[in-house]
């Protein structure tokens, strides 16, 4: 870590203190460039929205909160919206966002998705400006994909060289690009984080055994998502869908969601995870806070409105034709809609994590049991 919001410790002066703080929290003693707390909080972020209902909007029946207080669609590169998001992320004390550029956006593996990475870069540019003038820093990292190897829709993705080539693109286009600031990229032990989405349980082994050059990939801290099979998260993964066993404890990273792909028919498999009026999200947080804290808590997701995992405030009252239906309304046990219920809970529970504040109450529910004493705060 490099900075603390309240007290700016220098790593060169206090490395032992920071490492001991991580150990007391039960976390892996990796070093990051988050904001200085023993546990960092990251969240997946989607920039795959185009103006006037383009991009992935046709698949979504969610309409997020906009800077003017209305609910509606927006462009992923809209400066006003990006700055609004950064303000809210900082208020929630989230350390970094993880861009979902997993669909072959880099190196042209998915030519139809190349535009998405440009939207993500627009967010990087705004983060550069944000971090120049705000005490709470927002970092970013990228997630790419290797799941497309051998897929006919990605004809040039023929081997695990896709990781090397996408790593090269992320390095050249973002991390080493003077348009952006390398310090804004979230780093683990001095290397920029690069998460790889793969559905194979042996993805790590396949990558380790890949014979081609890895010079670019070796510049990154490579981590994984979806390696429990079928895109579900394994222990130590940074995403994708929740494991059927719930939150998997791990010293480096623990991943949770409020729900996932609940538009699918019941019984459709691991991807169908209901929110249950907020109970699922609350229970996932309870498991994390009831055990020694990891180094990183990873939330999926800020604004993924196509796979039903968003926590950012949204209107869920309308079913839009041809979108992914039916969606699960964001309502509490009081059967009332609460557009901000998941974001409000996220903000509150991070205060519990960081400061030992009483646990928040999910909108529309009975008072939560327990409180600050439920967690282990160093």
């Amino acid at each position: 870590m490099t900075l603390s919001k309240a007290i700016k410790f220098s790593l060169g002066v206090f490395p032992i203190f920071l490492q001991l703080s991580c150990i007391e929290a039960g976390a892996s003693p990796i070093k990051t460039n988050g904001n200085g707390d023993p546990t960092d909080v990251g969240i997946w972020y989607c920039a795959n929205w185009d103006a006037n209902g383009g991009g992935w909007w046709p698949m979504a029946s969610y309409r997020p909160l906009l800077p003017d207080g209305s609910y509606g669609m927006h462009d992923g590169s809209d400066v006003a919206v990006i700055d609004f998001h950064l303000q809210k992320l900082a208020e929630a004390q989230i350390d970094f966002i993880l861009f979902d550029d997993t669909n072959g956006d880099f190196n042209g593996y998915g030519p139809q998705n190349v535009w998405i990475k440009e939207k993500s870069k627009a967010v990087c540019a705004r983060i550069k400006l944000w971090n120049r003038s705000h005490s709470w820093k927002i970092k970013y990292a990228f997630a790419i994909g290797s799941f497309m190897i051998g897929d006919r829709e990605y004809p040039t993705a023929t081997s695990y060289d896709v990781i090397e080539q996408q790593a090269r693109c992320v390095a050249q286009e973002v991390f080493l690009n003077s348009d952006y600031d390398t310090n804004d990229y979230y780093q683990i032990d001095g290397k920029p984080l690069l998460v790889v989405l793969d559905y194979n349980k042996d993805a790590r082994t396949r990558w380790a055994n890949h014979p081609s050059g890895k010079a670019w990939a070796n510049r990154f801290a490579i981590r994984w998502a979806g390696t429990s099979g079928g895109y579900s998260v394994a222990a130590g993964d940074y995403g994708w869908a929740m494991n059927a066993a719930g939150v998997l404890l791990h010293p480096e990273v623990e991943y949770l969601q409020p729900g996932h792909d609940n538009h699918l028919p019941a019984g459709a498999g691991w991807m169908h995870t209901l929110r249950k009026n907020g109970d699922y999200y609350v229970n996932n947080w309870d498991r994390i806070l009831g055990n020694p804290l990891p180094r990183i808590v990873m939330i999926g997701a800020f604004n993924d409105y196509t796979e039903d995992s968003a926590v950012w405030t949204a209107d869920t009252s309308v079913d839009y034709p041809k979108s992914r239906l039916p969606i699960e309304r964001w309502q509490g046990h009081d059967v009332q809609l609460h557009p901000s219920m998941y974001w409000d809970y996220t903000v509150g529970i991070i205060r519990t994590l960081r400061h030992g504040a009483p646990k928040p109450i999910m909108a529309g529910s009975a008072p939560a049991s327990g409180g600050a004493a439920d967690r282990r705060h160093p």
Side-chain angles (χ1 to χ4, degrees):
M1 302 180 183
T2 57
L3 295 177
S4 169
K5 186 170 185 266
I7 304 174
K8 299 185 178 180
F9 290 112
S10 165
L11 279 174
V13 179
F14 295 100
I16 296 175
F17 172 82
L18 287 177
Q19 185 168 345
L20 287 175
S21 294
C22 296
I23 293 172
E24 289 171 2
S28 168
I30 61 170
K31 296 179 181 178
T32 76
N33 61 341
N35 284 280
D37 278 5
T39 296
D40 290 349
V41 179
I43 194 166
W44 285 76
Y45 187 93
C46 297
N48 48 3
W49 313 110
D50 205 7
N52 303 314
W56 289 12
W57 284 121
M59 292 187 284
S61 272
Y62 302 82
R63 294 296 180 262
L65 179 65
L66 301 176
D68 65 1
S70 66
Y71 294 87
M73 298 178 290
H74 64 83
D75 193 281
S77 61
D78 186 308
V79 168
V81 172
I82 295 170
D83 290 351
F84 183 49
H85 288 173
L86 295 179
Q87 174 190 344
K88 296 304 178 182
L89 290 164
E91 290 174 359
Q93 295 190 331
I94 289 173
D95 294 280
F96 71 99
I97 61 175
L98 181 59
F99 289 113
D100 179 2
D101 283 276
T102 58
N103 292 289
D105 308 357
F106 286 97
N107 203 47
Y109 288 115
Q112 70 278 18
N113 297 319
V114 169
W115 62 275
I116 299 174
K117 69 174 183 175
E118 301 305 322
K119 306 288 187 183
S120 297
K121 289 185 208 176
V123 181
C124 295
R126 299 307 299 176
I127 287 177
K128 180 179 180 179
L129 296 176
W130 172 273
N131 286 344
R132 285 178 176 177
S133 58
H134 293 83
S135 59
W136 188 270
K137 310 302 182 185
I138 305 293
K139 311 290 184 174
Y140 55 79
F142 280 80
I144 59 172
S146 58
F147 68 89
M148 75 281 283
I149 297 171
D151 191 319
R152 288 181 298 177
E153 293 185 12
Y154 302 87
T156 61
T158 59
S159 74
Y160 272 84
D161 186 56
V162 298
I163 297 177
E164 170 70 1
Q165 298 310 319
Q166 289 176 93
R168 173 183 57 80
C169 291
V170 173
Q172 292 177 339
E173 297 180 34
V174 183
F175 187 68
L176 300 176
N177 188 335
S178 60
D179 289 343
Y180 314 106
D181 190 330
T182 56
N183 294 319
D184 294 334
Y185 201 113
Y186 188 74
Q187 299 176 34
I188 293 178
D189 290 333
K191 289 186 175 183
L193 171 65
L194 188 66
V195 175
V196 182
L197 174 62
D198 198 303
Y199 61 84
N200 293 295
K201 294 182 178 181
D202 61 346
R204 292 168 176 80
T205 301
R206 294 186 184 207
W207 168 240
N209 293 337
H210 180 65
S212 297
K214 300 176 183 177
W216 286 103
N218 287 339
R219 299 186 182 199
F220 289 86
I222 299 292
R223 297 297 190 268
W224 298 87
T227 65
S228 186
Y231 300 113
S232 59
V233 65
D237 278 2
Y238 281 66
W240 188 257
M242 287 290 294
N243 190 287
V247 173
L248 302 178
L249 303 181
H250 191 273
E252 179 174 311
V253 62
E254 290 172 8
Y255 176 75
L256 77 160
Q257 290 180 306
H260 189 95
D261 267 353
N262 40 59
H263 65 273
L264 293 173
W270 58 268
M271 294 184 73
H272 178 86
T273 306
L274 293 174
R275 294 178 179 244
K276 299 180 180 179
N277 306 107
D279 291 349
Y280 186 71
Y281 195 46
V282 171
N283 292 339
N284 286 335
W285 272 108
D286 283 350
R287 177 159 171 76
I288 290 175
L289 298 183
N291 289 279
L293 292 175
R295 186 63 185 81
I296 299 168
V297 172
M298 199 74 213
I299 304 170
F302 181 76
N303 58 344
D304 189 339
Y305 299 115
T306 58
E307 295 190 0
D308 308 311
S309 62
V311 297
W312 173 239
T313 305
D315 176 18
T316 62
S317 64
V318 179
D319 288 344
Y320 291 91
K322 299 183 180 180
S323 66
R324 291 180 169 180
L325 296 172
I327 63 171
E328 189 176 8
R329 309 288 184 209
W330 290 6
Q331 60 185 23
H333 288 285
D334 60 358
V335 200
Q336 300 296 313
L337 290 174
H338 299 279
S340 65
M341 61 187 294
Y342 293 99
W343 184 248
D344 291 343
Y345 194 85
T346 300
V347 172
I349 202 68
I350 292 175
R351 290 175 183 158
T352 304
L353 183 152
R354 294 196 186 280
H355 310 297
K359 286 169 55 179
I361 297 173
M362 180 63 77
S365 68
S369 61
D374 289 345
R375 65 176 307 281
R376 304 177 187 182
H377 192 79

